[in-house]
Amino acid sequence: MSKLKSVYVCQSCGAQSPKWTGKCSSCNSWNTFVEEIREKSGSGTDVRAFAGTGSKRQAEAQLLSEVATDLTERWICADAELNRVLGGGIVPGALVLLGGEPGIGKSTLLLQLALQMENRRILYVSGEESEAQIKLRAARLGMKQDHCYVLTETETTAIFRQVEAIRPDLLIVDSIQTVFSPLIESGPGSVSQIRQAAGEFMRFAKENRVPVFLIGHITKDGQLAGPKVLEHLVDTVLQFEGDRNHSYRIVRTLKNRFGSTSELGIYEMLGEGLREVSNPSELLLTRQWHSQSGMAIGSTLEGNRSLFVEVQALVGGSAFGTPQRSTTGFDQRRLSMLIAVMEKRCGYRMNQLDVFLNIAGGLRVEDPAIDLAVCAAMASSLQDMPLAGEVCFAAEIGLGGELRPVARIENRLAEAAKLGFTKMFLSEHQQIQHPPKGMRLEKAGRLDELIGKIF
Ligand code: TYD
Ligand code: MG
């Protein structure tokens, strides 16, 4: 027997070093090197022990024009939100990574996907839950279960033996951090194991044209655990996010070899599973506040989707010497900047006032097009004058108090019209080709001018 080889691997970026060092020279993170045993003696590097991967095909160069494009073939699943983030359905042979924080609903989403695909054979491999637990969850989702196999196993060779026996059309692995390859000696969840196991699933997916979904955990600092190496390897990276105190869940495409990365899927977590939300603005807008001051509706883009959110502001006298500035779902420094603009350019006196700002619904908004709605909400609260229920706002505000045009205004206007808004406040520089019928556009060049028009 040969000696075990060991190497130090950075757990953050996967860099290797023959000896331990405190700081990784490639990603600059500290204290991330962990000793890992590289290879088991005698096993070689042949991981083609499972079905269909035994043949070592000799690759030949082909003319690009003659390469068959089977990428157009996609399985459209029942879940329209998932189709959207995958770029139009599941591509056979694709390796998809779904990342997210614990408890956000990853297992639920993929089990639901498995149960929805009634005319295909699915194998759901779990290293985290027992068969009975999965069964309980499936019962809770209340769907047919005749076509879905479950397996609790963490060793890849054993998983591939079952795959060979069942020959599923789709394989789901929950989670990549729990599975391990016996060909490598380091523990499950380590970088080498994750890379090795993911590599084996990748080869299986490509050679058998079976789509594989891997679930991945996210570490404390928001990175996909098991780490960048995995993101490079897989075809598609989806991230499941949301505020656990709210019921919305958002699936974002971070990487997609088969489609756009600006896609977004929205779900609502209910007692009986995840519900697709095809019209998110209706969920985000309550519209029960017509007579209250400090509320304004702003337009924001999430990926390619136009959403309307409720901005709530409360501006009032401060009990202490230093006024408070507190935000939920909005950047605090941006709020400070907008307050400064309102003071300097519009003549409001706010330096002794508390300002609380909230984006209703738990969404985090980064689109600057929301600026105008934030200022309108603050002005409304300051003057204690409610805004009309059918108006909405879309403009960025500059330091000089000027209103700036926003991107993709056609999308925003169409969504506004669909939701029943009849008036939108905009920058006078905004170019609009085809304004929707029944929508009045109120344009202004500066914030003070616009506030004069609102009240
Ligand atoms: P889960 O899919 O286990 O999360 P993950 O795999 O990302 O860790 O989802 C866990 C949460 O979802 C759990 O707190 C309970 C909740 N949940 C519902 O609200 N409704 C449901 O129908 C299901 C199955 C779960
Ligand atoms: Mg889970």
Side-chain angles (χ1 to χ4, degrees), residues 115 117-118 120-122 143-149:
L115 297 180
M117 300 182 86
E118 287 177 8
R120 303 208 187 250
R121 229 178 225 278
I122 318 281
M143 285 189 265
K144 262 175 78 177
Q145 305 165 11
D146 304 334
H147 57 289
C148 184
Y149 292 83

Side-chain angles (χ1 to χ4, degrees), residues 34 137 146 214 291 335:
V34 169
R137 191 194 298 255
D146 304 334
L214 305 175
S291 54
L335 176 68

Side-chain angles (χ1 to χ4, degrees), residues 101-108 137 140-141 269-273:
E101 286 176 18
I104 204 80
K106 302 179 294 297
S107 309
T108 309
R137 191 194 298 255
R140 201 167 155 188
L141 299 176
M269 181 61 99
L270 301 174
E272 59 281 2

Side-chain angles (χ1 to χ4, degrees), residues 101-108 124 126 128-129 137 174-175 215 217:
E101 286 176 18
I104 204 80
K106 302 179 294 297
S107 309
T108 309
Y124 185 100
S126 180
E128 309 212 329
E129 288 159 307
R137 191 194 298 255
D174 185 3
S175 65
I215 289 179
H217 293 297

Side-chain angles (χ1 to χ4, degrees), residues 15-282:
Q16 297 183 3
S17 158
K19 60 182 196 314
W20 189 85
T21 50
K23 186 182 178 190
C24 173
S25 57
S26 76
C27 71
N28 291 331
S29 44
W30 284 90
N31 209 12
T32 51
F33 276 92
V34 169
E35 183 180 17
E36 291 186 1
I37 316 283
R38 272 278 90 146
E39 248 166 50
K40 257 190 168 171
S41 49
S43 68
T45 50
D46 188 13
V47 292
R48 295 156 185 271
F50 44 85
T53 62
S55 65
K56 195 164 184 184
R57 188 166 59 92
Q58 199 78 46
E60 271 175 34
Q62 280 183 60
L63 271 176
L64 195 52
S65 57
E66 287 167 10
V67 175
T69 52
D70 41 13
L71 289 187
T72 46
E73 187 207 330
R74 285 176 191 261
W75 304 350
I76 311 293
C77 28
D79 185 339
E81 301 294 301
L82 203 61
N83 283 335
R84 188 203 309 268
V85 290
L86 291 171
I90 300 176
V91 177
L95 184 65
V96 181
L97 174 68
L98 174 69
E101 286 176 18
I104 204 80
K106 302 179 294 297
S107 309
T108 309
L109 180 68
L110 290 191
L111 185 63
Q112 213 166 306
L113 167 75
L115 297 180
Q116 275 168 354
M117 300 182 86
E118 287 177 8
N119 46 2
R120 303 208 187 250
R121 229 178 225 278
I122 318 281
L123 177 58
Y124 185 100
V125 181
S126 180
E128 309 212 329
E129 288 159 307
S130 69
E131 277 102 349
Q133 275 174 305
I134 300 170
K135 168 92 186 169
L136 263 177
R137 191 194 298 255
R140 201 167 155 188
L141 299 176
M143 285 189 265
K144 262 175 78 177
Q145 305 165 11
D146 304 334
H147 57 289
C148 184
Y149 292 83
V150 290
L151 170 69
T152 40
E153 179 57 72
T154 53
E155 192 186 293
T156 53
T157 44
I159 293 173
F160 286 118
R161 263 199 299 280
Q162 283 300 303
V163 165
E164 197 179 347
I166 293 171
R167 299 216 158 260
D169 299 320
L170 176 83
L171 178 64
I172 295 171
V173 180
D174 185 3
S175 65
I176 187 69
Q177 275 88 11
T178 56
V179 297
F180 69 98
S181 164
L183 304 177
I184 280 201
E185 195 136 283
S186 47
S190 65
V191 175
S192 340
Q193 270 301 357
I194 287 176
R195 183 164 26 195
Q196 171 71 20
E200 290 177 23
F201 287 115
M202 180 69 161
R203 234 169 349 251
F204 165 75
K206 297 290 170 238
E207 291 182 10
N208 299 282
R209 303 203 2 98
V210 170
V212 178
F213 281 77
L214 305 175
I215 289 179
H217 293 297
I218 279 191
T219 55
K220 284 189 282 316
D221 49 355
Q223 294 280 339
L224 261 176
K228 297 257 174 350
V229 282
L230 203 51
E231 289 183 36
H232 292 309
L233 186 76
V234 301
D235 295 312
T236 304
V237 181
L238 303 180
Q239 181 152 310
F240 209 9
E241 40 188 74
D243 187 334
R244 251 191 284 170
N245 301 323
H246 288 91
S247 57
Y248 323 115
R249 299 286 182 271
I250 293 178
V251 184
R252 262 177 228 283
T253 316
L254 299 187
K255 161 183 176 178
N256 195 356
R257 289 190 181 139
F258 309 118
S260 144
T261 51
S262 48
E263 290 298 350
L264 191 82
I266 302 180
Y267 294 89
E268 186 178 8
M269 181 61 99
L270 301 174
E272 59 281 2
L274 290 158
R275 180 181 75 88
E276 297 163 47
V277 178
S278 45
N279 192 355
S281 297
E282 290 204 339

